Amino acid sequence: MDEREAMTRALDLAWRGWGRVAPNPLVGAVVLRDGVVKGEGWHGEYGGPHAERAALAAADDSVKGGTLVTTLEPCSHHGKTPPCVDAIVAAGIRRVVAALPDPNPIAAGGAARLRAAGIEVEFGMLAEQAAAQNAAFLHRVADASRPWVALKLATTIDFRIADQAGRSRWISGPEAREFVHWLRAGFDALAVGVGTARADDPALTARGEPAPRVPLRRVVFDRAAELPTTLRLVAERPEATTVVAGPDAPDERLRALQARGVQILCAEDETAALRLLRESGTGSLLVEGGGRLAGAMLAAGLVDRFYWITAPLWLGDAGVPAVRGLPSRPLDQTERWRVVERRALGGDTLIVLDRR
Ligand SMILES: NC(=O)c1ccc[n+]([C@@H]2O[C@H](COP(=O)([O-])OP(=O)(O)OC[C@H]3O[C@@H](n4cnc5c(N)ncnc54)[C@H](OP(=O)(O)O)[C@@H]3O)[C@@H](O)[C@H]2O)c1
């Protein structure tokens, strides 16, 4: 295996921490000796061993003189676990290949310490893939003004998210729905507009593998605080639900929701709402529609990634549009998003796009 193949493998291993390590990054590592894999590791649990230590511990024999390939710069600090650089130096590793430097000021400095110990360090291999994998973590470190925001929609070929009666179950197939439960587990919070809450009465939980380490916050954008208290978002685990209301929401509606245990945030607009969500602990948010909330978030430039599931059917003009309220722009002034991933989910297609 060459170093690039080892980095691809390390990125695959890193996904095993999805839903379990945030606010830490996803990290995978492979130890190579003369092109042979000696050990593999990943950061699998918050507070648990880091990928590099796990890979060294898994090595079946001596890795002296070998290469450690890792998706993130090894840490140099005593956190919940001892510094990875100490283990790397002690193992006699000669070369470290890291996709990304660690932007977290507390953990950074690993490369300098490795170089000081005479170890060769190279950055940048598959850096774009590594950055896409850890987008939420990188955002958290760089921007405290709002959570990292992803939009997820399951649409028809003609970009409809429900039929003319408002029914959206089910546009996509079982494989896509299984993917969505996996996806949810990696976020701090899930959000819908009140239109979707009313139409679908969603539970907004992650009911697959992995189980999220921290229970997900459920957020409803509902300016007038009209969320019916009979819906599951209020009737089941109301303490996990936050309603984002507008400044003019009637007091009695706010009090009725609060009395059930629902948390209320009052915000002028989406930007203010996201700031309040971040201040109250939400580092990543998956917006699951509907079309009006999606349009408002996109129009305000607040969506960092779009998970687009397209299903092979048409619903026609009377179907509910996937995005509403987006101002029109001339072709030469519109942003082109970058495809990060494209794959089949049963009969449906997943396209993951990042705003540049
Ligand atoms: N296929 C899918 O992936 C999918 C996903 C979700 C939903 N759906 C379907 O989509 C339909 C609902 O979509 P929708 O567009 O009617 O409703 P929606 O986007 O879920 O909710 C719209 C409502 O949210 C409230 N809201 C609060 N803050 C807002 C903001 N900043 N911007 C925009 N709206 C805000 C508004 O009511 P106030 O002004 O009263 O606050 C607005 O009327 C349902 O039929 C549902 O089944 C499909």
Side-chain angles (χ1 to χ4, degrees):
M1 186 180 276
D2 65 20
E3 289 177 354
R4 206 179 160 82
E5 288 164 338
M7 186 64 84
T8 302
R9 175 71 184 150
L11 286 165
D12 283 347
L13 294 168
W15 284 121
R16 298 186 186 185
W18 183 251
R20 305 297 310 171
V21 299
N24 283 350
L26 297 164
V27 188
V30 171
V31 188
L32 289 179
R33 181 87 175 83
D34 302 325
V36 176
V37 176
K38 293 291 180 184
E40 295 185 336
W42 59 93
H43 184 36
E45 201 62 41
Y46 180 75
H50 287 186
E52 303 90 318
R53 274 188 180 271
L56 290 167
D60 43 14
D61 54 20
S62 173
V63 294
K64 205 159 188 274
T67 299
L68 179 89
V69 176
T70 172
T71 58
L72 189 70
E73 178 181 358
C75 74
S76 65
H77 78 304
H78 274 276
K80 292 196 163 42
T81 58
C84 289
V85 291
D86 293 353
I88 294 167
V89 173
I93 292 288
R94 187 188 57 81
R95 173 171 158 79
V96 170
V97 181
L100 296 176
D102 193 333
N104 181 354
I106 301 162
R113 281 194 47 200
L114 291 169
R115 285 180 180 131
I119 297 171
E120 195 182 309
V121 182
E122 185 186 305
F123 281 113
M125 186 180 287
L126 301 186
E128 206 169 280
Q129 289 90 325
Q133 179 177 59
N134 263 322
F137 166 75
L138 296 174
H139 176 98
R140 190 192 302 271
V141 176
D143 182 354
S145 72
R146 63 168 175 86
W148 184 71
V149 178
L151 170 67
K152 180 232 94 195
L153 294 171
T155 81
T156 62
I157 302 164
D158 52 346
F159 216 51
R160 307 281 140 181
I161 51 169
D163 68 11
Q164 55 207 35
R167 281 181 305 236
S168 61
R169 290 185 170 139
W170 295 107
I171 286 179
S172 53
E175 292 87 349
R177 299 205 298 277
E178 191 183 326
F179 166 77
V180 169
H181 283 286
W182 174 86
L183 183 67
R184 284 176 172 177
F187 283 80
D188 294 340
L190 312 174
V192 291
V194 69
T196 297
R198 280 182 196 280
D200 298 350
D201 191 14
L204 282 192
T205 51
R207 301 182 294 280
E209 283 292 327
R213 180 179 71 84
V214 181
L216 304 182
R217 183 181 202 177
R218 311 181 295 189
V219 181
V220 185
F221 283 81
D222 178 15
R223 274 182 285 244
E226 280 173 337
L227 183 69
T229 52
T230 49
L231 295 181
R232 293 161 81 183
L233 285 163
V234 184
E236 297 167 11
R237 294 180 46 248
E239 70 286 354
T241 299
T242 298
V243 163
V244 177
D248 301 327
D251 275 348
E252 68 276 15
R253 290 293 316 148
L254 296 175
R255 277 199 299 270
L257 288 166
Q258 269 167 331
R260 297 296 188 105
V262 169
Q263 217 186 78
I264 305 283
L265 294 179
C266 267
E268 278 285 344
D269 55 21
E270 304 80 28
T271 304
L274 291 185
R275 182 172 43 75
L276 293 174
L277 286 169
R278 174 70 189 254
E279 284 169 8
S280 54
T282 294
S284 60
L285 178 73
L286 182 64
V287 176
E288 300 208 30
R292 288 196 174 85
L293 183 60
M297 290 286 185
L298 286 163
L302 295 170
V303 178
D304 300 301
R305 176 168 294 173
F306 180 28
Y307 292 95
W308 179 19
I309 296 163
T310 61
L313 60 155
W314 311 82
L315 279 170
D317 288 356
V320 177
V323 170
R324 288 197 253 203
L326 201 56
S328 296
R329 290 211 185 95
L331 182 56
D332 58 359
Q333 287 168 33
T334 192
E335 231 175 351
R336 203 170 279 268
W337 289 40
R338 185 172 69 88
V339 176
V340 195
E341 192 183 347
R342 230 186 297 239
R343 71 176 145 116
L345 294 172
D348 305 322
T349 305
L350 169 71
I351 305 177
V352 184
L353 300 123
D354 277 1
R355 191 154 52 98
R356 281 176 193 277

